[in-house]
Amino acid sequence: MKTVIDLDDELLERARRELGTKSKKDTIHAALRMVAERGERMEAIRELLSIDRDWTGLLADDKTPDGERDAA
């Protein structure tokens, strides 16, 4: 469906850079998808936080070599 709207060009450009998209259409679709899926991500985070585990030292247990971890 085509819709004509007035967009904030600066905000759209910031979103494009953040999302790594190339066109206005791709940027808008990616932003809408991100917002639409927010609830699912929040639920996954809640599930992870509900796991009864001592998360202390989680990075120390990581199998990633130190050099690669620092690069991230």
Side-chain angles (χ1 to χ4, degrees):
M1 148 178 78
K2 291 194 179 222
T3 304
V4 177
I5 58 173
D6 183 27
L7 297 173
D8 180 326
D9 289 334
E10 181 182 338
L11 188 58
L12 185 62
E13 177 59 20
R14 287 174 51 199
R16 187 198 62 74
R17 284 192 312 264
E18 184 70 26
L19 294 167
T21 53
K22 297 193 184 289
S23 70
K24 289 180 181 181
K25 180 180 177 179
D26 289 344
T27 303
I28 293 167
H29 283 198
L32 289 172
R33 189 175 307 105
M34 182 178 278
V35 171
E37 295 170 351
R38 182 178 181 270
E40 294 170 22
R41 288 192 304 276
M42 293 301 293
E43 181 57 31
I45 290 169
R46 279 192 284 276
E47 285 182 33
L48 286 172
L49 292 174
S50 72
I51 296 172
D52 186 22
R53 177 190 166 154
D54 179 9
W55 297 99
T56 306
L58 182 65
L59 289 179
D61 294 342
D62 191 355
K63 302 298 183 222
T64 305
D66 290 336
E68 290 180 30
R69 185 181 313 136
D70 294 339

